[in-house]
Amino acid sequence: MPESSTLDRYAVVGNPVAHSLSPRIHAEFARQTGQLLSYEAIEIATDAFAAGIADLQRQGYRGLNVTVPFKREAWELCDRLSSRAETAGAVNTLILAEDGSIQGDNTDGVGLVRDLVQNLHVDLAGKHILLLGAGGAVRGVLEPLLAESPASLTIANRSLDRAHALARDFKDIGNIQVVAYPDLEEKGYQLIINATAAGLGNQLPPLSGEVLDPDGTCYDMMYNLESATAFVAWSSEQGVRHSYDGLGMLIEQAAEAFYLWRGVRPDTGRIASQLRGN
Ligand code: NDP
């Protein structure tokens, strides 16, 4: 094997980031495709994102994934943006060019849609979709979800003004309805996506069980290798037969970033079960 210093270097940057599964996922992609690269998790101080990226550029890193809380700052830092990153207003993938310029992309949305449609066979066309949350993750997924032609797309969020702001920002792309949690229609949605950060504290969004349709699908962007996330456990207890966590989304967004950097598409098929140890 070549010395690690001769390998092309990549990393995920965030704060905190030590818990990230991305190094394991990218190591598996590299092994599978025969690409010679290294991939680390690097913590950057919350008030020093631009300086941290400049430092990594000087060290010769070729690409970076960006996670909480830096996706917006990454968007602001880029010299060029893909159209999906431009629309999202958030960047999760940086390509560091040899001329010192930085190109930004957002692979979260394509990751979510690939996991839902290709892996889980959840058809989005003509469906009534409810998104819980109005943060950076929702920004990244709105355009790809609307591109699947759902019958309707509704956002519920604790702070309604944030949800209204998103609906305004995306009004040229599609119609987004904003509804307060207590006003959501009973069993009105065939797909409910939890994109709140509530699960980080093992909490649930303030959603009534009446809103859940047992024949519909629940999807939690949070993931957990050892046990069900709070939202998946709760929706399953409420009788929803198809409830999934966001590990597949994480793997698919990583695969798209890997493709942007290396021009090779890894096979994502077995990675979720490898990570879960079964
Ligand atoms: P942000 O901090 O940008 O947004 C957080 C959102 O969660 C806000 O809408 C906030 O509401 C809401 N929220 C927080 N706590 C609660 C609560 N207790 N009850 C109800 N709503 C709450 O986070 P992101 O959008 O970046 O991330 C959201 C989640 O998605 C995280 O869990 C993250 O790990 C996950 N994620 C997963 C990915 C994957 O690949 N699987 C990719 C990206 C994100 P308010 O505006 O009212 O404060």
Side-chain angles (χ1 to χ4, degrees):
M1 283 291 283
E3 293 286 315
S4 65
S5 59
T6 66
L7 300 176
D8 290 344
R9 297 173 83 183
Y10 297 86
V12 54
V13 295
N15 190 334
V17 77
H19 64 284
S20 173
L21 292 174
S22 293
R24 286 171 67 186
I25 294 170
H26 281 276
E28 174 55 23
F29 288 165
R31 190 199 60 74
Q32 190 194 91
T33 59
Q35 296 283 307
L36 298 177
L37 57 88
S38 68
Y39 189 107
E40 305 145 70
I42 298 174
E43 188 170 295
I44 293 182
T46 47
D47 59 354
F49 180 70
I53 299 299
D55 188 37
L56 296 173
Q57 272 186 301
R58 272 193 298 275
Q59 292 181 49
Y61 282 78
R62 304 276 302 269
L64 300 169
N65 282 133
V66 180
T67 187
V68 182
F70 297 126
K71 289 183 186 179
R72 182 72 188 178
E73 273 180 84
W75 185 82
E76 286 162 359
L77 193 72
C78 288
D79 301 301
R80 291 185 306 283
L81 291 165
S82 68
S83 75
R84 60 192 177 190
E86 175 81 58
T87 309
V91 155
N92 79 334
T93 304
L94 298 174
I95 299 162
L96 308 179
E98 277 177 19
D99 66 2
S101 66
I102 304 179
Q103 190 182 329
D105 206 332
N106 190 316
T107 66
D108 280 338
V110 76
L112 172 69
V113 170
R114 274 198 197 132
D115 193 36
L116 283 167
V117 176
Q118 291 177 17
N119 300 340
L120 303 171
H121 310 292
V122 178
D123 192 7
L124 305 178
K127 299 287 163 56
H128 295 283
I129 300 177
L130 172 61
L131 266 169
L132 311 176
V138 170
R139 273 196 167 276
V141 304
L142 281 175
E143 186 185 31
L145 282 176
L146 286 164
E148 296 293 309
S149 308
S152 68
L153 189 57
T154 302
I155 298 181
N157 195 47
R158 281 186 315 197
S159 325
L160 269 188
D161 50 344
R162 286 185 83 186
H164 282 298
L166 277 180
R168 269 197 309 277
D169 288 354
F170 285 79
K171 71 176 184 329
D172 293 340
I173 296 171
N175 183 28
I176 296 170
Q177 292 161 36
V178 173
V179 179
Y181 279 104
D183 300 332
L184 287 167
E185 198 186 325
E186 283 185 24
K187 298 187 177 41
Y189 308 94
Q190 289 133 329
L191 171 63
I192 301 179
I193 300 170
N194 179 27
T196 72
L200 295 172
N202 212 27
Q203 292 180 342
L204 291 167
L207 183 70
S208 158
E210 303 293 326
V211 179
L212 303 180
D213 178 352
D215 297 322
T217 300
C218 283
Y219 190 96
D220 192 359
M221 283 197 193
M222 269 281 297
Y223 47 83
N224 195 346
L225 293 187
E226 284 80 32
S227 56
T229 63
F231 186 72
V232 167
W234 174 73
S235 54
S236 303
E237 279 161 20
Q238 300 287 317
V240 176
R241 281 185 283 279
H242 302 292
S243 282
Y244 306 100
D245 77 8
L247 183 61
M249 172 180 176
L250 180 79
I251 294 167
E252 293 299 339
Q253 65 76 29
E256 184 71 9
F258 191 90
Y259 175 71
L260 290 171
W261 292 328
R262 310 298 299 183
V264 192
R265 241 177 231 294
D267 177 5
T268 54
R270 290 236 342 106
I271 295 186
S273 51
Q274 279 172 15
L275 288 169
R276 291 193 207 274
N278 53 34

